[in-house]
Amino acid sequence: MAGSWVDLAERIGADLHLDLAGPGGRRAVLTRTLREAVRSGRLAPGTRLPPYRSLAADLGLARNTVADAYAELVAEGWLVARQGSGTLVAHRAAPPRSPSPPPAAPAAPGRPARYDMRQGVPDPGSFPRTAWLASARRALNAAPNDAFGPGDPRGRPELRHALAAYLSRARGVQADPGRIVVCSGVAHALRLLCGGIVRGPLAVESYGLPFHRSILEAASVRTRPLAIDEHGARTDELSRERAVLLTPAHQFPTGGPLHPERRASVVDWARRRNALILEDDYDGDFRYDRQPVGALQDLDPERVVYLGSVSKSLSPAVRLGWMVLPERLVGPVLAAKGEREAWAGVADQLTLADFIEHGSYDRHVRRMRQRYRRRRDRLVRALAPHTTTGIAAGLHVVLNLPPEGEKRALEAAREEGVALDGLSPFRHPGAAMPALTGLVIGYAAAPDHAFGAALAALRRAVG
């Protein structure tokens, strides 16, 4: 039939192809094809169809054939014909929604979670949309043409220069732009480093993020846990490992910075052993009771890989992170990164660079630091007289409980509709230190209007 795969973009302002192949007369084929386009949603409700004379000319059909097809679909309720408005897809002809899958059975009896008090989740409602949009407009207008070409696996130079200046000023990092590699986050950085650059055995803190351990295990990197206490990781337990992964600014999840003597001792160990320190600057931006602790990397930039991201400070939806590397590792990391597929999006890189350079990032972090501190204070007051730790920084507190108390509190929290984490899952399976039990309670994600109710439900759950 003439006109098979006809493009109606010029007629209706959107791309739509009509495949007029198939059995049957011309009117029957056209009617069937238009009906299927409406049913599938390719022709959305309210879409204006071209006049039947124009469509007939485009398809090489008789006018009466198209007019009759329109009339049949109007009669069936798929289309509506209005004087002066032409022929439109009927609103009641919206394609039926696919049946929703049955809800997953809850992991344990209780109400669905109404309050998100999980650790590590920032306030999604506080994303600086207006300032981010302004930065995006400026950055894209100023971007050179080569920004939209093949690019550089290290990341856009605009972002690397902006990061070098910011990290040096705010975190005390010795950050040359040529030694910064942009990635999509700390997890991505670990995958790149453990893809043949960092080999086991690797020391890790006895309590940490389980998915970080799973990344190391997937790369066949054997880990050995270091005990932790109120001064951070016990770096005196390091021996013959090839590398160590630490959260020196704020040990995750128990809290507290790495003690100055331990910071010096781990650098001395790395020099003696020709080993590598992976510094995850977790919660480095959010310290409330005194100035943020500077980065460990400043003590020896040739022994420390500094890892950071905007997942807590801005949003986990902005998939941008960075590594500040010893000079000898830049080439191997770029080789591990490969060609293009693992690169972060250029538009977001350019936007973040402008966001930093215009001071918007600093203003946002300061504003959120004040907001999160107020929330932390409310949470600590609500939990009194229970003992809380790790409150000096970050987006969560740890509520210490006796061994049997963690399970009971989690069950009670589910009954109250509160989603939060227990402390036990963060323990390394090979840890020798006594087990810690309690709750890891995030205070950033719940919206302002629900925060008071979330605290009340949490207080009922923990007693």
Side-chain angles (χ1 to χ4, degrees), residues 167-175 248-249 258 263 267 277 279-281 284 292-301 304-307 324:
L167 295 173
S168 175
R169 169 173 53 81
R171 303 295 300 124
V173 175
Q174 295 188 41
L258 189 63
R263 291 163 71 92
V267 171
I277 302 168
E279 178 181 11
D280 179 359
D281 197 24
V293 179
L296 177 66
Q297 186 261 8
D298 186 43
L299 296 180
D300 194 334
V304 181
V305 175
Y306 177 87
L307 310 174
V324 183

Side-chain angles (χ1 to χ4, degrees), residues 184-186 281 285 307-314 318 320-322 361:
S184 62
V186 172
D281 197 24
D285 288 315
L307 310 174
S309 77
V310 297
S311 63
K312 306 295 184 299
S313 56
L314 274 176
V318 181
L320 286 176
W322 48 84
Y361 188 77

Side-chain angles (χ1 to χ4, degrees), residues 120-134:
V121 183
D123 179 7
S126 294
F127 185 79
R129 303 184 190 204
T130 301
W132 186 260
L133 180 59

Side-chain angles (χ1 to χ4, degrees), residues 11 53 84 154 165 174 220 237 256 309 331 360 371 393-394 453 459:
R11 299 293 185 185
R53 294 180 179 84
R154 293 175 297 178
Q174 295 188 41
S220 300
E237 295 182 357
S309 77
S360 300
R371 182 172 186 172
R459 194 165 49 243

Side-chain angles (χ1 to χ4, degrees), residues 357-373:
E357 289 180 341
H358 279 78
S360 300
Y361 188 77
D362 286 272
R363 288 189 291 273
H364 175 72
V365 169
R366 285 197 299 269
R367 182 170 62 251
M368 298 312 297
R369 191 181 292 138
Q370 294 169 0
R371 182 172 186 172
Y372 290 151
R373 179 174 181 167

Side-chain angles (χ1 to χ4, degrees), residues 131 134-135 138-139 351-363:
S135 284
R138 281 194 302 264
T351 301
L352 180 58
D354 182 275
F355 197 73
I356 294 171
E357 289 180 341
H358 279 78
S360 300
Y361 188 77
D362 286 272
R363 288 189 291 273

